[in-house]
């Protein structure tokens, strides 16, 4: 099975206490695609500029990622610069140059239409809705968003949430959408807006999945997966997108679609996030093996499971 | 088996978005004792004033708590007033009247000397050390501290840490003691100061226990237990002390002292913390059954365990 992901490709300039890199290939879609590629075939829809070379593309192609949906536009690729200083949980943005991404209009190649899974990375909710409608035969649609759209386009976001089966956001975003400072209450308000399941990412504390009553199984008990206590976080950029890639990629590789699958997917999300932060940019995600991933899954299990 | 707990008894005035109470029996020792009483016999060492009546004492006695170590001094009992407004994770202190607690000198009744477990609630580290030395035959000593002592009496605290087997503190306290903003790194620095195990409480995200290499078992892999996502937190006062009571109480009731016991204890800590916040003050801790506790333990298990 395969998954289509729609969103940003970028060149990042990142500074952390461990060092600095310039113009490395990043963007939500790149992290997502590399993380998911260890589980399933990934197909990208995005836009890049003339500075995006065959070498950049080969980073993705080496992982079997279908790049036919990457539009090559005149101009420069989206660029982002940021630094993490005292607090590795929060990036200070130095600059954002949208470039060709500013007028991005997602076009789904006809060859992608048989994909059974879809992930809407963080872009304008109206574009997300447009893609979701075009791919409305998929078995499951996952989605992300951010504080900017929650504030600027709440109506459009509400429309998109009706088309998303599993939303993946962080604590602050969930509380903002719901207008409620209590997390489980906020979760149930977000679920009432459309999604059947809601994954709330807690950074270094892991993630919780909340289910709508009866969705993917019985009851509405939530489930928590840990994050790995990591002594050396080199670069937190893309951790959330790698989490989403591990989560959605694992799901796309399963025959069944039930709560147990979604719970395990939550663990695999944490696993891929934990790898992503070990090195700068996508370096670590480029050189993994499925064995390493399953070994770490086992560590996550031992971290949380009683005998 | 029984556990001796040394620390504060207080009357609290608490305001939260759910309401307000005045002069209810509180203090770290009260929460700890009630939570631990569902697992083992608890013996209190503390001080109260003339306003502490037989009725107050009966709250503890009803739970089989040994109150012979409560000294009745001339004057008023320690009083604390605080409120939780927007953020239920952080109390704003309205007033602190130490009263008889200011000159507290712990005296261990001879009848307590055969207890096998000891918990040093948050008091001056020099008093903690004095009690730990007096009770040096115990199988396990647990301890707590706070930012005030970490800043004001670092040398005394360092001496006390050498006498504590399991330290229970929160993220901020661990980072402060270690002078390191990375949590697992901070944990290993704290462990190097004395304790064999360190429990770091993450509030609504649960808790992690870190082990010194070889302590209570093999390796130094940490373990995480969840907190329950609770839609209605009425009063967070005493959640951490109730956690400690559940954790230490469960341990004190076991024959063995190994990693599996400490991991389960971490779950029981979360369970007792989750009950404490459901009603004001110690109300909920006063009227539990062991069946309710084990039912909730099962919910914690389902919240985190894959099939």
């Amino acid at each position: 099975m395969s998954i289509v992901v729609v969103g940003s490709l970028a060149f990042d300039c990142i500074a952390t206490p461990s060092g600095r890199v310039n113009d490395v290939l990043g963007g939500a879609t790149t992290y997502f695609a590399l993380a998911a590629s260890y589980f399933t075939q990934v197909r990208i829809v995005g836009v890049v500029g003339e500075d995006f070379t065959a070498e950049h593309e080969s980073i993705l192609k080496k992982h079997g990622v279908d790049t036919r949906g990457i539009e090559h536009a005149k101009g420069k690729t989206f660029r982002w610069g940021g630094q993490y200083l005292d607090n590795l949980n929060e990036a200070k943005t130095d600059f954002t140059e949208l470039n060709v991404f500013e007028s991005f209009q997602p076009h789904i190649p006809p060859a992608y239409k048989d994909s059974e899974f879809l992930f809407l990375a963080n872009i304008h909710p109206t574009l997300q809705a447009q893609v979701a409608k075009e791919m409305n035969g998929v078995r499951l649609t996952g989605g992300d968003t951010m504080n900017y759209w929650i504030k600027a386009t709440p109506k459009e976001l509400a429309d998109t949430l009706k088309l998303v089966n599993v939303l993946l956001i962080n604590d602050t975003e969930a509380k903002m959408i719901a207008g409620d400072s209590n997390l489980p209450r906020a979760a149930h308000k977000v679920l009432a807006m459309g999604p059947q399941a809601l994954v709330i990412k807690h950074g270094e504390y892991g993630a919780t999945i909340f289910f709508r009553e009866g969705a993917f199984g019985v009851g509405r008990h939530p489930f928590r997966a840990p994050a790995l206590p990591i002594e050396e976080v080199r670069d937190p950029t893309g951790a959330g997108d790698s989490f989403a890639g591990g989560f959605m990629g694992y799901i796309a590789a399963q025959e069944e679609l039930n709560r147990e699958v979604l719970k395990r997917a939550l663990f695999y999300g944490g696993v891929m996030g934990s790898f992503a932060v070990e090195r700068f940019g996508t370096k670590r995600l480029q050189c993994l093996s499925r064995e390493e991933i399953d070994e770490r899954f086992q560590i996550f299990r031992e971290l949380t499971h009683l005998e």
Side-chain angles (χ1 to χ4, degrees), chain A residues 136-153:
Chain A
N136 73 352
V138 295
R139 286 177 65 198
L140 187 118
T141 299
D144 186 11
T145 190
M146 71 182 292
N147 51 2
Y148 180 81
W149 308 118
I150 298 169
K151 273 188 214 159
T153 60

Side-chain angles (χ1 to χ4, degrees), chain A residues 15-18 83-91 204 230-237 239 277:
Chain A
T16 84
S18 306
Q83 50 187 304
Y84 305 81
L85 297 173
D86 301 332
N87 183 358
L88 280 168
N89 295 314
E90 208 173 340
E204 64 177 312
I230 296 175
E231 295 196 25
E232 181 90 49
V233 174
R234 285 218 174 71
D235 174 14
T237 311
V277 304

Side-chain angles (χ1 to χ4, degrees), chain A residues 1-5 32-33 35-43 114-119 138-142 166 168 216 243-258 260-266 268-269 290:
Chain A
M1 286 180 271
S2 65
I3 182 164
V4 172
V5 54
F32 180 97
S37 74
Y38 292 94
F39 303 92
T40 192
Q41 211 228 332
V42 185
R43 293 164 160 178
D114 63 352
S115 283
E116 291 186 276
F117 294 87
L118 172 64
F119 187 73
V138 295
R139 286 177 65 198
L140 187 118
T141 299
V166 184
L168 288 94
F216 304 109
F243 182 102
F247 177 84
M248 291 295 300
Y250 176 78
I251 291 172
Q254 309 310 306
E255 291 295 324
E256 297 282 321
L257 202 52
N258 56 37
E260 198 55 30
V261 165
L262 269 70
K263 289 175 184 180
R264 280 176 178 268
L266 205 67
Y268 277 107
R290 185 59 200 259

Side-chain angles (χ1 to χ4, degrees), chain A residues 286-303:
Chain A
Q286 289 182 41
C287 59
L288 277 167
S289 69
R290 185 59 200 259
E291 288 66 37
E292 284 179 295
I293 291 168
D294 286 326
E295 267 170 40
R296 188 155 295 183
F297 178 86
Q298 209 45 44
I299 292 174
F300 270 67
R301 208 184 167 110
E302 283 162 21
L303 184 62

Side-chain angles (χ1 to χ4, degrees), chain A residues 185-207:
Chain A
R185 252 189 349 241
H188 293 298
K189 286 183 184 174
V190 173
L191 288 173
M193 295 173 78
Q196 278 92 59
L198 171 65
V199 172
I200 302 185
K201 296 172 285 179
H202 314 309
E204 64 177 312
Y205 301 118

